[in-house]
Structure formats: structure tokens, C-alpha cells
Amino acid sequence: EVQLLESGGGLVQSGGSLRLSCAASGLSFSTQAMSWVRQAPGKGLEWVSGISGSGGTTYFADSVKGRFTISRDNSKNTLYLQMNTLRVEDTALYYCAAGGTAGTAMDVWGQGTTVTVSS
Amino acid sequence: SYVLTQPPSVSVAPGETARITCGGNNIGSRSVHWYQQGPGQAPVLVIFYDSDRPSGIPERFSGSNSGNTATLTISRVEAGDEADYYCQVWDTTSDHPVFGGGTKLTVL
């Protein structure tokens, strides 16, 4: 069974940083593109970032470009999202998902980790 | 960037057919994926590449895509189908996925 488990969320002040992690199991992680998707309270889904299986290609939404970095450690089957210069509007539930790059579907999702940015 | 338009809500009685639309400029030329998100739950992929169903998704769920509209059809709707549904495509201009605003399906 494929499982994705996010961690690292929390409460941070505006301008601060957080690093999210997503531990994957049950899939061929090193060949699987991965994505981060967020959902602000009461709002819809917003794609944030994606990365190829090798880590050589990364993608970012305009809203986070220059502030967030996506990376992966294929030896640890773990995906990361480094979030810097956080803003109040970054407050959301952050999901990691398998797939989502180059037109592919996001076929497995984690349960999410909550990020709250206070002013 | 590419914009996907969904109706905010759709209501249907149990046993009837629900149709949830996703509008976009010439969306028929793109591949559409659909996700179901139950209350307090993570999204689940229910349709990929317009009309394919992942294993474990009931045959009651089907999809189509033509012209400027993609449609998710749920036949013989059950109470457990009550959820938010999102369409998603890949935007070749910005090189990233785009989600529709979501449709809340209410089972009367």
C-alpha cells in the first residue's frame, strides 16, 4: 500500500521559515514525480510545487517562487518543502502527492500538515 | 494562466445521476483529472486522463471531455458521494497544474 506522511507544520510568525517533510512508502520513490498542494481554510486546492523523480527538474507556483524550495532525498524516500519569508496568506493545510508533473495525475495523497503564519 | 470554471454546487437525489462540469478554453485538447475530497479528508483521484478510473473507484464514476467542457458523471448517486470535486489540467503555458475552484456535491 502506498503511503505518504507529511510532517513539519506548525505556527510561525510572518517572515519566518519552516521545512515540511513527506515520507513515502510502498512506491518506487526515485522514479516518481512528486508535488505539494495546499488548501487554505475553507478554500479550494492550490498547487504549490513539483519535482521530477531524479530531482533535476522543479516547478513552482508564482505565489511561492523565490521563497519556497522543493527537494528530495531518494535514499530516504523523503520529499521536502523549504518555506522561507512566510506570509499570512501561506496559512494552509499542505498535502504532498505522488505525480502532478508533466500532465500526470496526482494519484496518491498524504493527510496533510498544517502551516499557520501569524502576523 | 489557464482558468478552469466549475459550478460552486450541484444537488442530486439519491439514485439519480450527478453531472459536474469543468469549463476551460478548448479544454477538450487537454487531459483532465478529477479529485474527490470528502469532509475533513485528503483528496482522492477518481478519474484521470479524461475518463480512466483508478482501481478501487466504482464504475458509477465516469468522465468525458470535449470542446470547452469536461464532465464528471456520477451514476446512481449515494450519500457517501457527498463531497467536493475538483478538476485539474496541466497548463502548458505556465508549466504547472491548475485546479478548478471545486464543486460541492450535495445528496438530497
Side-chain angles (χ1 to χ4, degrees), chain A residues 59-72:
Chain A
Y59 310 82
F60 296 93
D62 289 344
S63 58
V64 306
K65 200 171 293 183
R67 299 188 298 122
F68 289 12
T69 303
I70 190 171
S71 63
R72 62 193 299 158

Side-chain angles (χ1 to χ4, degrees), chain A residues 35 37 39 43-47 59-62 65 93 95 100-112, chain B residues 31 33 35 37 40-45 47-49 54 84 86 88-90 94-102:
Chain A
S35 295
V37 176
Q39 187 169 34
K43 303 296 184 182
L45 302 175
E46 180 190 14
W47 173 83
Y59 310 82
F60 296 93
D62 289 344
K65 200 171 293 183
L93 180 60
Y95 295 103
T101 66
T104 61
M106 298 173 222
D107 55 3
V108 181
W109 296 64
Q111 288 302 306
Chain B
S31 293
H33 312 304
Y35 304 88
Q37 186 178 33
Q41 297 182 1
V44 172
L45 178 69
I47 293 289
F48 63 103
Y49 293 129
D84 294 323
Y86 296 88
Q88 178 249 307
V89 301
W90 181 264
S94 58
D95 221 16
H96 66 64
V98 174
F99 287 98

Side-chain angles (χ1 to χ4, degrees), chain B residues 7-74:
Chain B
S9 63
V10 168
S11 298
V12 64
E16 298 299 308
T17 297
R19 294 179 179 84
I20 298 172
T21 59
C22 176
N25 185 31
N26 197 26
I27 193 173
S29 67
R30 301 170 185 260
S31 293
V32 180
H33 312 304
W34 290 92
Y35 304 88
Q36 174 194 63
Q37 186 178 33
Q41 297 182 1
V44 172
L45 178 69
V46 293
I47 293 289
F48 63 103
Y49 293 129
D50 296 341
S51 59
D52 290 338
R53 243 184 350 267
S55 62
I57 300 301
E59 291 183 6
R60 301 185 296 105
F61 288 79
S62 62
S64 62
N65 184 18
S66 179
N68 293 319
T69 305
T71 302
L72 172 69
T73 300
I74 309 171

